[in-house]
Amino acid sequence: MRHVFKLVFLFVGVVIGAGFATGSEIVLYFKNSGYLSVLLASCIMGVLSVIFCLFGRLQNKYKWTKNLLKIVVFLSSCVTYCVMLSGVGELIYTQFGIKYFGIFTAFVVAILMLYDMRLIKLLNLVIVPMIVVIMLIILIVSGGQIYAGLNLSSSLKYAGMNMLLGGYFMSEEGDTLSAKQIALTGCLVAIIMGLLMSICYTISMQATGSNMPVFEVARSFGLGSLAAVVVYLAIFTTLIGSSRAFSDMILKILPNKFVVFLLCFVLGFYFDGLDFGDVVAFSYGMIGEIGIVVCVFIVCILIVEMFRSMKNKIKIKNNKLKTLI
């Protein structure tokens, strides 16, 4: 159970970055879709988590697919990392008037990249529950609005966007899980993401015109500092996850941790200060569409493998019957 919870919180920590915690990506995908679309997206992510875990067992068999997936994940994780740096710079400057905090955060993340995944899992095991509690406090104080409606396209795109990076970690860890653990992982992902997305949606619908709806609503109720903390924590976990994803791939080509440290740090100098809303609007929709393609591709591979397994079982059964005859 502890192993499952660590993996689930790793997934959640990776996907709830600046776009999620500020409410900007929730508004981008679900402003005109309705609350049922939010719940559907969380369920889709739960199912896809199971699919990516199962694919993790087949990675050695489909090496070309694994390599293709890594290239796509590498590109999306780089984009996600840069978006997070833009978000943290704007957030801290808006709330506290402190400049260059994105550069400072990039430096801290660069140091953490020198350590292995165990530290990252432990951090998420603490940070994710903190995010849930703080967002619940903001919801209770501010209230919120829920709109009826369902849009399958929005749910699929949002799930696809998150599964590019989250699915990568699921596939990397999937080969170590039993069938029961994989099923439990999918259920927990759906429940926790459903809870967080519901809270974020309810708050965000009160300020759909803002770059950072959750932050804007919290500030209007005197909770700006608390909102800044939850957004920063969410950004931090996603920064760690995205930088880990692309650094792992860089290290396989160039096994030098100093290069990874330098890259993570230097990116902070460029993206700290860029307009967060513009960066999210430009990149997240495109990532969502690419994510759908990747997810469909992985599902097709599993279907082919399932039929191949059934065919082999029938063949073995027929051979046994021939032997008996």
Side-chain angles (χ1 to χ4, degrees):
M1 283 296 294
R2 186 174 62 177
H3 184 59
V4 169
F5 271 106
K6 282 183 179 179
L7 178 57
V8 171
F9 285 153
L10 173 64
F11 175 90
V12 175
V14 163
V15 302
I16 56 167
F20 177 87
T22 59
S24 59
E25 68 182 36
I26 292 291
V27 170
L28 179 67
Y29 281 94
F30 302 113
K31 179 181 178 180
N32 301 314
S33 302
Y35 178 64
L36 291 178
S37 301
V38 173
L39 295 181
L40 179 59
S42 65
C43 292
I44 292 172
M45 278 188 275
V47 173
L48 289 174
S49 295
V50 171
I51 289 171
F52 273 87
C53 282
L54 292 173
F55 174 71
R57 295 178 169 186
L58 304 172
Q59 286 192 86
N60 293 329
K61 190 174 181 180
Y62 293 91
K63 288 185 178 180
W64 64 274
T65 306
K66 179 181 179 181
N67 293 332
L68 180 63
L69 177 62
K70 284 190 173 184
I71 292 171
V72 176
V73 170
F74 174 79
L75 295 174
S76 66
S77 61
C78 288
V79 172
T80 301
Y81 183 80
C82 296
V83 171
M84 295 304 106
L85 289 176
S86 169
V88 74
E90 184 173 324
L91 169 76
I92 300 300
Y93 181 72
T94 301
Q95 179 60 28
F96 303 109
I98 302 173
K99 291 184 176 181
Y100 312 121
F101 210 79
I103 298 173
F104 168 75
T105 303
F107 177 71
V108 174
V109 171
I111 292 175
L112 288 172
M113 287 307 99
L114 303 176
Y115 298 89
D116 61 25
M117 281 294 295
R118 287 177 294 179
L119 177 61
I120 295 172
K121 286 181 181 179
L122 286 173
L123 281 171
N124 283 340
L125 203 59
V126 175
I127 292 174
V128 171
M130 288 175 62
I131 292 171
V132 175
V133 171
I134 295 173
M135 289 195 74
L136 271 173
I137 293 171
I138 295 172
L139 175 63
I140 291 168
V141 173
S142 66
Q145 293 177 309
I146 293 178
Y147 298 95
L150 176 65
N151 187 309
L152 179 60
S153 175
S154 296
S155 300
L156 287 172
K157 286 181 180 179
Y158 187 78
M161 179 193 71
N162 285 319
M163 291 311 300
L164 267 181
L165 190 54
Y168 166 75
F169 287 104
M170 287 297 185
S171 64
E172 289 293 300
E173 300 285 333
D175 59 345
T176 64
L177 301 177
S178 67
K180 287 183 178 180
Q181 286 176 317
I182 290 175
L184 181 58
T185 297
C187 290
L188 287 174
V189 165
I191 291 169
I192 296 174
M193 285 304 299
L195 173 63
L196 276 169
M197 289 170 66
S198 297
I199 296 170
C200 188
Y201 173 86
T202 307
I203 298 170
S204 299
M205 288 303 104
Q206 300 175 71
T208 56
S210 171
N211 274 357
M212 297 184 173
V214 171
F215 186 51
E216 191 64 35
V217 171
R219 286 182 71 187
S220 67
F221 286 91
L223 300 174
S225 297
L226 196 63
V229 170
V230 72
V231 174
Y232 183 76
L233 290 174
I235 290 173
F236 191 71
T237 57
T238 302
L239 275 171
I240 294 173
S242 57
S243 58
R244 170 58 64 180
F246 71 71
S247 65
D248 282 349
M249 297 168 202
I250 292 173
L251 287 171
K252 288 181 180 180
I253 301 170
L254 187 64
N256 188 325
K257 286 191 173 184
F258 179 73
V259 173
V260 173
F261 172 87
L262 199 61
L263 177 62
C264 291
F265 186 36
V266 169
L267 284 173
F269 281 90
Y270 181 77
F271 285 93
D272 183 8
L274 292 185
D275 185 86
F276 174 68
D278 290 343
V279 176
V280 169
F282 173 76
S283 59
Y284 274 29
M286 177 179 59
I287 293 175
E289 291 173 0
I290 295 172
I292 291 174
V293 174
V294 171
C295 290
V296 169
F297 191 58
I298 298 298
V299 169
C300 288
I301 288 176
L302 289 178
I303 291 172
V304 169
E305 189 63 29
M306 182 181 69
F307 279 110
R308 185 177 294 172
S309 177
M310 289 172 62
K311 186 178 179 181
N312 289 335
K313 286 180 179 178
I314 292 171
K315 188 176 179 180
I316 292 170
K317 188 176 180 180
N318 289 337
N319 287 337
K320 286 183 178 179
L321 286 173
K322 287 179 182 179
T323 303
L324 291 172
I325 292 170

